[in-house]
Amino acid sequence: QVQLVESGGGLVQPGGSLRLSCAASGTIFSINVMGWYRQAPGKERELVARITSGGSTNYADSVKGRFTISREYAKNAVYLQMNSRKPEDTAVYYCNADVRVRVVTPYVEVWGQGTLVTVSS
C-alpha cells in the first residue's frame, strides 16, 4: 500500500514563506505526476501545482510567480515552496500522486492526509 505523508504546514504571516514536503512510501514501481491541491473552508478542492515525471510544471493562476513546485525523484518526494503568502492561501494542502506499484499495473491516484496552512497576522 502506498502512502503520502505531508509535512511543513503551520501559521505564517502575510508576505512570509513556507515550504511543504511530501514523501511517498510503500511498494512503488514508478510515479508519474505529483502535485499539490488545496481546499479552503467552504470551497472545493483545487489544483495548486503539479509536476510530471519529466519535470514539466503547471500552476494555478493565483499562485504563479509566488509558489514553486519541485521534485526529488530518488526519494519519491515533492515540495512546494510558497512565498509572498496571502490570507487567501489559507487552506488544507493535499499531496497527490499517480503511482504504479508494479510494471503490469495501471497508475492509481493516491492522496495524502492534508496539512493545514494558515496565513494570518
Side-chain angles (χ1 to χ4, degrees):
Q1 185 176 359
V2 177
Q3 288 186 320
L4 300 179
V5 179
E6 302 116 331
S7 60
L11 175 65
V12 63
Q13 292 187 340
S17 298
L18 202 64
R19 187 187 193 222
L20 301 182
S21 300
C22 170
S25 63
T27 302
I28 299 170
F29 176 75
S30 66
I31 300 179
N32 189 10
V33 181
M34 298 189 82
W36 291 94
Y37 290 72
R38 68 185 180 187
Q39 187 167 18
K43 295 187 177 182
E44 294 186 352
R45 191 174 297 187
E46 63 175 2
L47 173 69
V48 177
R50 61 199 295 268
I51 181 168
T52 69
S53 57
S56 297
T57 59
N58 62 286
Y59 297 88
D61 288 342
S62 58
V63 307
K64 283 181 181 177
R66 300 190 298 122
F67 291 10
T68 302
I69 190 170
S70 60
R71 191 164 165 177
E72 192 167 359
Y73 295 89
K75 295 184 177 181
N76 290 325
V78 65
Y79 309 97
L80 186 67
Q81 178 66 42
M82 304 179 290
N83 299 329
S84 304
R85 300 303 306 274
K86 302 177 181 180
E88 52 264 40
D89 293 326
T90 295
V92 177
Y93 285 71
Y94 297 90
C95 179
N96 172 275
D98 291 334
V99 180
R100 177 181 284 180
V101 298
R102 293 182 179 84
V103 65
V104 296
T105 59
Y107 284 102
V108 295
E109 189 176 45
V110 182
W111 290 91
Q113 80 285 356
T115 184
L116 177 63
V117 175
T118 303
V119 183
S120 176
S121 55

